[in-house]
Amino acid sequence: MSDETQDVIRLVERYSAPNYAPLPVAVAAAEGAWVTDVEGRRYVDMLSSYSALNFGHRHPALVKAAKDQLDRLTLTSRAFHNDQVGPFLRDLAELCGKDMVLPMNSGAEGVETAIKTARKWGYDVKGVAPERAKIITCAGNFHGRTTTIVSFSTDPKARQGFGPLTPGFVTVPFGDADALAAAFDNDVVAFLVEPIQGEAGVIVPPDGYLRAARELCTENGALLVADEIQSGLGRAGYTFACEHEGVEPDVYILGKALGGGITPLSAVVANTDVLGVLTPGTHGSTFGGNPLACAIGREVVRILQTGELQERSRKLGEHMLTTLRDASLPAVKEVRGRGLWAGVELVPDAVPARAHCERLLERGVLAKDTHETTIRLAPPLVISEEDLDWALERILGVLEEAR
Ligand SMILES: Cc1ncc(COP(=O)(O)O)c(C=O)c1O
């Protein structure tokens, strides 16, 4: 490691709250699927900032939209209208096939917004008795880091030391439709689910699970709330991962790639009977719907409207998953995924996933471990087949040496 990298790391370690353990690389520039560190070394980005960079680093149309907007207007707050928010909300609502949108900033804020909306809908529309609303969530979920969201995390690290926790959540195993059916009662206002669990290690539910969830929510008068923050916007091969089962949730939560890898932008998208329960003063955010984010978000929607990147995600994703599976490596227990998104789970006695990622770093590939045993791969959807193969060759090489 050079002095430049060490200087960056030393400064961060001195002044940053110790809530992250980054890999020892200091990125200074990036374009498309490639990043360059402070030493001038280049790497293929096989993480895409957890899918926030679905369109690659500094996508020209997104950078242009941002620059044009920076020269005109950046922030109004929602105290006033601005000329960017309406077109963005309309275009996003149309992309989702829904009536309306509530724009926020981070993904966690989007999830919080959906929880508040579902509870309010439960009291105002479903007629649940005050303070009784319940939301069903899944074991292994990851929906963000706020106090309420960690209250229904099943990861002890996320919860412990942060109580008192928020009540009103019920946990069921992910992928088990019978357990889900048994969890409903009249107080349940929503089932909150990641169509594919990302942080848990790219866990794809059994076929028919999302369809069963859709039917159960309809039968029980509860909202199906799909957290597509990581799985959506092309990552899993379609605009929404729910499309794999032809399922339309009542509520989409979007984030990450919605901001084009430039700015935080999240949104809750639903029909008027759901989002219409909110009234002025019940929810909001100073930066939610800011003109800069909306100008970028509108360009993101425009990119997705053609369907080209979704198709590319399916095609290159098939290639990536097949390549990883066909190698039948002894260190690999399972390769899961959909679209250009894979979780490579290692056998229990293999070198830890983190050590694999450190070796990949030395060979010019950025990837990230999750839960000690899984390497997750999510390259930008704009990656060329050649660059993907370059990265896969190195990944297979590191996996081969693992045992
Ligand atoms: C499915 C899902 N929901 C919510 C979040 C939280 O998003 P943010 O980190 O922007 O708050 C994440 C982040 O990884 C996520 O993967």
Side-chain angles (χ1 to χ4, degrees), residues 181-310:
F184 279 95
D185 64 26
N186 287 337
D187 292 336
V188 171
V189 296
F191 174 45
L192 168 63
V193 65
E194 295 159 83
I196 295 171
Q197 287 191 326
E199 296 302 299
V202 195
I203 315 277
V204 181
D207 269 351
Y209 177 64
L210 296 175
R211 259 196 316 278
R214 172 66 282 174
E215 281 162 22
L216 287 166
C217 284
T218 304
E219 275 166 28
N220 289 281
L223 301 174
L224 177 60
V225 180
D227 180 345
E228 293 255 18
I229 287 171
Q230 195 165 163
S231 60
L233 308 184
R235 173 54 58 196
Y238 292 95
T239 307
F240 306 108
C242 283
E243 288 178 56
H244 280 281
E245 294 201 25
V247 160
E248 195 186 325
D250 300 295
V251 179
Y252 288 107
I253 315 173
L254 304 173
K256 293 195 192 282
L258 192 59
I262 298 176
T263 187
L265 175 58
S266 62
V268 171
V269 190
N271 282 337
T272 311
D273 58 333
V274 178
L275 272 173
V277 299
L278 297 173
T279 52
T282 53
H283 196 61
S285 155
T286 303
F287 284 87
N290 73 75
L292 178 60
C294 288
I296 296 164
R298 197 174 172 202
E299 195 57 41
V300 163
V301 172
R302 203 172 288 153
I303 290 170
L304 287 167
Q305 272 163 349
T306 69
E308 262 169 59
L309 279 184
Q310 293 89 321

Side-chain angles (χ1 to χ4, degrees), residues 134-143 151-155 159 168-185 188 190-194 197 200 203 205-206 209-210 212-213 216-217 224:
K134 272 197 249 173
I135 294 176
I136 304 174
T137 61
C138 288
N141 72 71
F142 187 86
H143 296 284
S151 297
F152 55 86
S153 170
T154 54
D155 176 1
R159 292 164 62 103
F169 299 95
V170 181
T171 307
V172 294
F174 180 65
D176 182 341
D178 293 336
L180 178 61
F184 279 95
D185 64 26
V188 171
F191 174 45
L192 168 63
V193 65
E194 295 159 83
Q197 287 191 326
I203 315 277
Y209 177 64
L210 296 175
L216 287 166
C217 284
L224 177 60

Side-chain angles (χ1 to χ4, degrees), residues 72-194:
R72 280 202 304 270
L73 174 74
T74 56
L75 187 61
T76 53
S77 79
R78 296 289 298 273
F80 314 112
H81 290 281
N82 68 67
D83 63 357
Q84 295 300 309
V85 67
F88 164 63
L89 301 182
R90 177 198 59 207
D91 293 353
L92 183 60
E94 281 174 13
L95 185 79
C96 298
K98 298 285 186 199
D99 295 339
M100 51 175 66
V101 177
L102 200 167
M104 296 293 283
N105 310 285
S106 69
E109 281 175 303
V111 175
E112 286 277 349
T113 303
I115 290 169
K116 284 179 68 179
T117 304
R119 285 181 169 182
K120 187 98 170 55
W121 174 88
Y123 299 125
D124 292 2
V125 180
K126 182 168 176 174
V128 172
E131 308 299 311
R132 294 288 299 272
K134 272 197 249 173
I135 294 176
I136 304 174
T137 61
C138 288
N141 72 71
F142 187 86
H143 296 284
R145 298 287 194 180
T146 65
T147 320
T148 289
I149 294 171
V150 301
S151 297
F152 55 86
S153 170
T154 54
D155 176 1
K157 251 196 193 164
R159 292 164 62 103
Q160 272 167 20
F162 300 114
L165 302 173
T166 308
F169 299 95
V170 181
T171 307
V172 294
F174 180 65
D176 182 341
D178 293 336
L180 178 61
F184 279 95
D185 64 26
N186 287 337
D187 292 336
V188 171
V189 296
F191 174 45
L192 168 63
V193 65
E194 295 159 83

